[in-house]
Amino acid sequence: MTVVAAATAPTKGERTRQALLEAAIARFGRDGYRGTSIAEIARDARLSGTAAYVYFPNKEALFVAAVDEDAAAVIDEGLSTLTDDIDLDKWRRSLIFTLLSAVERHPLARRVLSGLEPEFTVRLLSIPALEQLRKAFGDRLRAQQLSGDVRIDIDAQSVANGLVTIVISLLMSLLQTGSDPATLLGMDVAAVVEAALAAPRQPRRRR
């Protein structure tokens, strides 16, 4: 008989920290880093003005944690597009459109990706959830190398890391320039992906 461990209920401290993060995401997403105070966030979370400092030493630490939390939620939605029944170029498009849709529901991630908090934009490239996306993409590339759909002379994880960076860069360009996604994700970008990854086709034998 297999015993399944019950999920541990969050502690009061964990619930308080999460309430602070949710309040911070909403307030920072609306008013920005400079336009927000710790006291306002604590009030939004229905806590005393000093309670936030038990969990975060200063406003910057709370902002970074809030960015990580909101961006991770966006990337988790992107991971949902990683299925085995679509080719790489279709998956790239699906990922970007999923991320575009997700940022509309995550105000702080959208603010940072849109370049409105330039001091923190680079932070997005090192969040744990993005590393998870790189790993998932690398696993996919290795599987497609084995199936013969992706060239075998590349390092799958290095290429995956680069392609995920390109995807995030394209997403930022779409948000910052207001470009039409269909234009930015056109045939030229697809050609680059194809050239970088596609296994060489066997030449036809002459009869």
Side-chain angles (χ1 to χ4, degrees):
M1 179 178 177
T2 302
V3 178
V4 179
T8 304
T11 65
K12 180 181 179 181
E14 290 169 340
R15 292 195 302 270
T16 300
R17 186 180 189 278
Q18 187 60 36
L20 279 167
L21 282 175
E22 291 173 3
I25 288 169
R27 178 69 73 160
F28 283 133
R30 184 176 69 246
D31 299 335
Y33 180 77
R34 297 186 183 280
T36 299
S37 70
I38 288 279
E40 289 170 326
I41 293 170
R43 186 169 61 248
D44 291 347
R46 298 183 179 180
L47 299 168
S48 69
T50 59
Y53 293 101
V54 175
Y55 302 91
F56 303 98
N58 50 48
K59 186 171 78 168
E60 181 177 347
L62 177 53
F63 185 84
V64 167
V67 169
D68 284 359
E69 180 88 356
D70 210 34
V74 172
I75 291 169
D76 283 345
E77 292 192 37
L79 281 169
S80 70
T81 68
L82 192 60
T83 60
D84 294 330
D85 59 347
I86 54 176
D87 62 34
L88 284 166
D89 187 56
K90 288 181 180 178
W91 179 75
R92 172 185 57 81
R93 288 169 174 266
S94 177
L95 173 61
I96 292 177
F97 280 109
T98 298
L99 294 175
L100 274 174
S101 175
V103 294
E104 297 300 328
R105 296 183 290 277
H106 298 280
L108 183 54
R110 180 181 178 86
R111 183 178 183 86
V112 176
L113 285 165
S114 297
L116 299 178
E117 301 287 351
E119 300 90 343
F120 297 95
T121 301
V122 70
R123 172 71 187 177
L124 292 177
L125 299 179
S126 61
I127 63 173
L130 194 56
E131 188 59 35
Q132 184 183 3
L133 184 59
R134 293 187 183 103
K135 181 180 183 304
F137 201 3
D139 291 343
R140 180 182 176 85
L141 287 181
R142 279 187 285 272
Q144 292 192 306
Q145 284 178 317
L146 293 174
S147 67
D149 295 322
V150 169
R151 50 192 292 186
I152 62 172
D153 61 331
I154 62 171
D155 181 89
Q157 193 58 60
S158 294
V159 173
N161 294 348
L163 288 175
V164 169
T165 299
I166 290 171
V167 166
I168 298 300
S169 298
L170 287 171
L171 176 64
M172 293 172 67
S173 295
L174 287 167
L175 290 171
Q176 294 181 25
T177 65
S179 301
D180 175 14
T183 299
L184 192 60
L185 308 178
M187 295 303 296
D188 291 344
V189 175
V192 172
V193 175
E194 175 75 11
L197 299 178
R201 296 175 181 174
Q202 296 295 328
R204 293 182 179 180
R205 294 182 179 179
R206 294 182 180 180
R207 296 183 179 178

